[in-house]
Amino acid sequence: QLPLVESGGGLVQAGGSLRLSCAVSGLSFDESAIGWFRQAPGKEREGVSCISATNTIRNYADSVKGRFTISRDSAKNVVYLDMNSLALEDTAVYYCAGVNYYYCSNVATYFDYWGQGTQVTVSA
């Protein structure tokens, strides 16, 4: 069983919304920061958002601020990424990542556990 499993990706028109989910197992959920990253074809993986273990810190990339919201549900061990006002440039494979540490980072190498990714495609 993978420690992190993403779901919720799909095809959406520009301006639409999607909710991504990251089901977390194999690491202590309440002691782990979880991040979302994305990678578009031909581009490097970039940090999108991160939520600290205590839910007190939420970081966002400038490109998604005001449009994306990260949250976590300790009862379900799930982290969500609500994506609104989606644009063509949001098209990418989205990955969630976890680390057994309280604090967030937008650096991929900070995280020890990764999901398999979920495709998000925004059409015109």
Side-chain angles (χ1 to χ4, degrees):
Q1 184 178 1
L2 294 175
L4 300 166
V5 178
E6 305 94 337
S7 61
L11 175 64
V12 63
Q13 285 190 324
S17 300
L18 280 176
R19 165 174 266 200
L20 303 184
S21 299
C22 175
V24 180
S25 62
L27 61 163
S28 177
F29 185 79
D30 292 334
E31 296 178 353
S32 299
I34 304 295
W36 284 97
F37 291 77
R38 67 185 181 187
Q39 188 165 18
K43 294 188 177 182
E44 292 187 356
R45 189 169 298 190
E46 65 168 338
V48 174
S49 183
C50 181
I51 188 165
S52 65
T54 54
N55 200 21
T56 54
I57 299 173
R58 303 180 185 187
N59 294 335
Y60 299 94
D62 288 342
S63 58
V64 306
K65 278 182 183 176
R67 300 189 298 124
F68 291 10
T69 302
I70 192 169
S71 60
R72 59 194 297 154
D73 185 335
S74 294
K76 298 180 179 179
N77 282 13
V78 176
V79 172
Y80 301 103
L81 186 67
D82 289 298
M83 307 186 297
N84 298 311
S85 302
L86 283 162
L88 298 179
E89 52 266 33
D90 294 318
T91 294
V93 177
Y94 283 72
Y95 301 88
C96 66
V99 61
N100 281 321
Y101 198 57
Y102 287 95
Y103 300 110
C104 272
S105 174
N106 62 354
V107 177
T109 53
Y110 178 77
F111 295 89
D112 296 318
Y113 303 92
W114 289 84
Q116 81 287 355
T118 185
Q119 176 71 47
V120 172
T121 303
V122 183
S123 64

